[in-house]
C-alpha cells in the first residue's frame, strides 16, 4: 500500500497543469471521489490493523497534496483567463467622450419670458392641465352655444351630459389659471401663467396639438389700455431687441373688451415674407385686451372698482422668432442635431 501511495505522490508532482482541460483531468484522476486516491481509501479496510493508522495518515497527506495542487493551479488558470478577457478590448479605439446635455430652447425662452415680466413686478402662477369646462370656457364668458368655442378645437376627456360646465377636458389655454387666481386672491393681482396647452389641430410647421403658452393678468384700480400697451411694448423690445417694430390690430376675444392682436416684424425674413409669417412680413406674438367686466364679476371682483388687462402668447412662436427656427415640429422630434445648436446658451 505504501508503494502505491509513493507512486501516486510522484504522479501528482509530475502532472502538468496549464490548461482548463488538464486541470479537469487532474481533478477526475486525483481529487474526485472516484479517482485513484478514493480507490486507496476503499482498500484501507484490507490493511492489517496494526498498520491501518499509519497508512490512513499517509492517505490523508496524499489527498491534501492533490487538493492543494488542484487549488493552486485552478486559481492561476482563472487569473490568466480574466487577464486574457481584459485584453480583448481594442486599446487603439478612440475614447467615447462624456457629453453634457443642453437646455431645451423652449425652456430657455420660458425662463427669459419669466425674467422680463419679473422686472415689471409679475409673479408666476400655475394650475391643472386637466380642467373642467367651467374654468376653461364658462368663467371666461363663453356661453354654451357661443361661436367662440368653435375657435378652439378641444380634447374632451369626459362629457357629463348635464351642465356643460362640468365637462372634463385638456385645457386649451392657461386662462384657467387666471380664473383660479381671481377666485382665490384679492386685487391687486399681477401674474403670468406659463404651461402646456392642448388643441386638436393638424400638425404642421406652424401648428401642433401640444404647445406651450404664457398668459398674463394685471388687475388693480385705474388700470387702462395704455398700461397694457406699455407692458407688451417693453416685453417685445426686451425679448427681440430695441429695433423691433410692434403693431396692434383690433380683434375679438370673449373674455376681453376691447381686444387686440400684437404683431412684430418677422425676424426670420425681416419683413420680406416667408412660410412662418404667411408671407405678410408680420408675425402675431400675442392676443390681449382689457378683462371683460363679466369675467371680473364671475370671479367675485367688483368691476366698478377694479379694472385689468390680460394677454396670452405661444412660447413656441416666440422661440421660433428669437432663434429663427422655421418649423415648429423640431421642438418635439428630439433630433440631437437640432438640440445641440443651443449648447452654451
Amino acid at each position: 500500500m505504501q508503494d502505491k501511495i509513493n507512486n501516486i505522490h510522484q504522479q501528482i508532482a509530475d502532472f502538468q497543469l496549464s490548461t482548463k482541460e488538464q486541470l479537469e483531468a487532474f481533478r477526475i484522476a486525483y481529487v474526485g471521489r472516484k479517482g485513484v486516491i478514493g480507490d486507496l481509501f476503499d482498500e484501507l479496510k484490507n490493511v492489517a490493523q496494526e498498520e491501518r493508522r499509519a497508512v490512513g495518515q499517509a492517505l490523508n497527506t496524499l489527498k491534501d497534496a492533490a487538493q492543494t495542487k488542484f487549488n493552486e493551479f485552478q486559481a492561476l488558470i482563472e487569473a490568466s483567463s480574466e487577464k486574457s478577457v481584459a485584453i480583448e478590448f481594442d486599446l487603439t479605439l478612440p475614447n467615447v467622450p462624456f457629453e453634457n446635455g443642453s437646455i431645451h430652447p423652449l425652456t430657455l425662452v420660458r425662463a427669459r419670458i419669466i425674467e422680463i415680466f419679473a422686472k415689471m413686478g409679475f409673479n408666476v402662477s400655475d394650475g391643472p392641465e386637466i380642467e373642467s369646462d367651467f374654468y376653461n370656457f364658462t368663467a371666461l364668458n363663453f356661453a354654451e352655444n357661443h361661436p367662440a368655442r368653435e375657435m378652439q378645437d378641444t380634447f374632451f376627456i369626459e362629457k357629463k351630459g348635464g351642465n356643460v360646465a362640468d365637462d372634463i377636458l385638456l385645457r386649451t389655454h392657461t386662462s384657467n389659471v387666471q380664473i383660479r387666481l381671481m377666485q382665490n386672491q384679492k386685487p391687486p393681482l399681477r401674474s403670468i401663467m406659463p404651461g402646456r396647452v392642448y388643441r386638436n389641430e393638424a400638425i404642421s410647421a406652424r401648428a401642433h396639438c401640444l404647445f406651450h403658452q404664457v398668459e398674463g393678468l394685471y388687475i388693480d384700480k385705474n388700470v387702462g389700455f395704455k398700461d397694457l400697451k406699455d407692458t407688451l411694448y417693453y416685453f417685445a423690445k426686451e425679448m427681440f431687441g430695441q429695433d423691433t417694430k410692434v403693431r396692434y390690430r383690433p380683434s375679438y376675444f370673449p373674455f376681453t373688451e376691447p381686444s387686440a392682436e400684437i404683431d412684430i416684424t418677422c425676424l426670420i425674413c425681416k419683413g420680406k415674407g416667408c412660410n412662418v409669417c404667411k408671407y405678410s412680413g408680420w408675425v402675431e406674438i400675442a392676443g390681449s385686451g382689457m378683462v371683460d367686466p363679466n369675467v371680473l364679476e364671475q370671479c367675485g371682483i367688483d368691476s366698478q372698482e377694479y379694472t385689468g388687462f390680460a394677454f396670452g402668447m405661444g412660447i413656441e412662436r416666440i422661440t421660433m422668432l428669437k432663434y429663427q427656427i422655421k418649423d415648429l415640429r423640431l421642438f418635439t422630434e428630439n433630433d440631437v442635431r437640432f438640440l445641440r445648436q443651443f449648447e452654451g446658451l
Side-chain angles (χ1 to χ4, degrees), residues 323-340:
Y323 295 119
Q324 299 190 13
I325 300 168
K326 297 183 180 181
D327 195 325
L328 184 146
R329 292 167 291 192
L330 290 169
F331 293 126
T332 52
E333 289 180 346
N334 296 325
D335 190 328
V336 176
R337 296 170 300 177
F338 169 72
L339 298 175
R340 281 178 177 166

Side-chain angles (χ1 to χ4, degrees), residues 25-93:
F26 182 87
R27 184 192 69 79
I28 293 172
Y30 301 104
V31 179
R33 293 180 60 85
K34 297 182 179 181
V36 293
I37 297 177
D39 293 340
L40 290 179
F41 272 101
D42 291 338
E43 295 180 15
L44 187 60
K45 61 178 183 259
N46 300 322
V47 177
Q49 183 69 31
E50 61 274 12
E51 299 178 0
R52 190 173 298 172
R53 182 176 180 181
V55 172
Q57 290 178 347
L59 285 175
N60 285 329
T61 302
L62 177 64
K63 179 182 178 182
D64 291 341
Q67 187 67 51
T68 299
K69 182 169 183 175
F70 176 82
N71 292 341
E72 290 177 353
F73 279 90
Q74 183 182 42
L76 289 173
I77 291 174
E78 288 180 352
S80 176
S81 177
E82 291 177 0
K83 185 177 180 181
S84 65
V85 171
I87 62 174
E88 286 179 2
F89 294 101
D90 187 350
L91 300 180
T92 64
L93 290 174

Side-chain angles (χ1 to χ4, degrees), residues 223-249:
V223 175
F225 198 86
K226 184 179 185 302
D227 299 306
L228 169 62
K229 291 180 65 176
D230 289 345
T231 299
L232 293 179
Y233 268 126
Y234 177 81
F235 167 77
K237 301 287 185 180
E238 287 291 305
M239 177 60 73
F240 302 111
Q242 296 302 312
D243 295 332
T244 303
K245 295 181 180 180
V246 183
R247 75 175 185 182
Y248 282 75
R249 290 182 290 107

Side-chain angles (χ1 to χ4, degrees), residues 173-231:
H173 43 207
T174 59
S175 301
N176 65 317
V177 186
Q178 295 189 36
I179 300 300
R180 292 179 178 274
L181 187 66
M182 288 188 284
Q183 284 183 337
N184 297 313
Q185 296 185 28
K186 295 181 179 180
L189 303 173
R190 189 182 300 190
S191 185
I192 59 172
M193 302 86 185
R196 285 186 297 265
V197 298
Y198 308 85
R199 297 183 188 178
N200 187 14
E201 298 186 5
I203 298 175
S204 66
R206 302 185 70 255
H208 207 288
C209 61
L210 178 153
F211 57 100
H212 298 77
Q213 201 178 54
V214 58
E215 296 194 11
L217 178 69
Y218 178 33
I219 297 177
D220 203 348
K221 296 179 180 180
N222 302 316
V223 175
F225 198 86
K226 184 179 185 302
D227 299 306
L228 169 62
K229 291 180 65 176
D230 289 345
T231 299

